[in-house]
Amino acid sequence: MGVVEVLDPVAPVRADGWKVDVSRGERNGRVSSEWFNRPDDERYLSLDDLWANVKGRSERSRSRVVQTADIRAEAARDNPERLHLMLPKAQEPVAPTHWAFGQLASIVGAPASYLRQLPAPLAGINLQYGLTNHRAEQVKTFETEDGRTELRAVTGPDYGRIHDHELVDAVQR
């Protein structure tokens, strides 16, 4: 058996920040195109603005561990084309994001792309069948409150989350 020595990383301290050599690399118009195509509330002129927004979202978020068999899928009564999920002990339904819906469909072995093409009531029936008849397992939900409760992710119960504001912090440093 070998000996392993773990060293603490020593990062050089740069008081003047990092310099960018604009003569290297290439121009990529897609970056500005992506920025201009975002809704107004997703455009940030500075890292400070981005940090403030994602920090606020993080503060309005919560995670919980639930059993898949206890999740209820239903079409919204006020909008039958919108699918909502009821989580155990929740006061109101959550609206899954595109990403979270795909994660949930994957857990029950249903093709998310097919379910997205179905009317919400039919997709809800199929998803509910998978949730109740698939082997029950624990999942961790990640929900954000911003006028409505949005289900942003469905992961394994031991999933460790790194919030966006922590990444922005690292970039700013």
Side-chain angles (χ1 to χ4, degrees):
M1 173 175 238
V3 175
V4 177
E5 182 180 352
V6 179
L7 301 174
D8 289 330
V10 178
V13 177
R14 297 187 60 99
D16 58 344
W18 299 96
K19 296 193 186 321
V20 176
D21 182 357
V22 294
S23 67
R24 301 181 70 178
E26 60 187 60
R27 292 181 188 260
N28 186 340
R30 183 171 176 216
V31 174
S32 62
S33 172
E34 291 285 337
W35 189 81
F36 280 106
N37 287 326
R38 290 185 175 275
D40 289 341
D41 65 342
E42 292 182 8
R43 292 186 198 167
Y44 306 103
L45 297 175
S46 71
L47 286 175
D48 290 333
D49 292 344
L50 173 61
W51 182 87
N53 184 283
V54 295
K55 177 69 171 168
R57 184 177 65 203
S58 176
E59 291 169 352
R60 293 185 314 273
S61 299
R62 68 178 172 269
S63 288
R64 62 173 130 181
V65 176
V66 300
Q67 292 285 338
T68 54
D70 295 335
I71 299 172
R72 299 285 170 246
E74 59 185 42
R77 286 176 173 59
D78 58 338
N79 184 357
E81 292 305 310
R82 187 90 181 158
L83 185 69
H84 285 156
L85 302 171
M86 283 302 297
L87 301 176
K89 299 180 184 173
Q91 302 299 320
E92 59 185 32
V94 296
T97 61
H98 185 273
W99 180 257
F101 182 81
Q103 289 175 312
L104 198 55
S106 176
I107 287 169
V108 299
S113 59
Y114 172 70
L115 291 178
R116 286 186 185 106
Q117 296 173 12
L118 298 175
L122 190 53
I125 290 168
N126 283 280
L127 187 59
Q128 187 63 56
Y129 177 83
L131 289 167
T132 36
N133 293 307
H134 185 264
R135 71 176 173 82
E137 62 182 283
Q138 289 186 330
V139 293
K140 183 184 282 186
T141 64
F142 182 63
E143 307 152 45
T144 301
E145 174 65 42
D146 192 16
R148 70 178 184 147
T149 305
E150 188 174 70
L151 179 65
R152 297 182 61 85
V154 181
T155 58
D158 299 325
Y159 184 81
R161 179 161 307 285
I162 297 173
H163 291 274
D164 293 339
H165 68 88
E166 295 170 307
L167 293 174
V168 176
D169 257 347
V171 170
Q172 286 178 313
R173 281 195 304 268

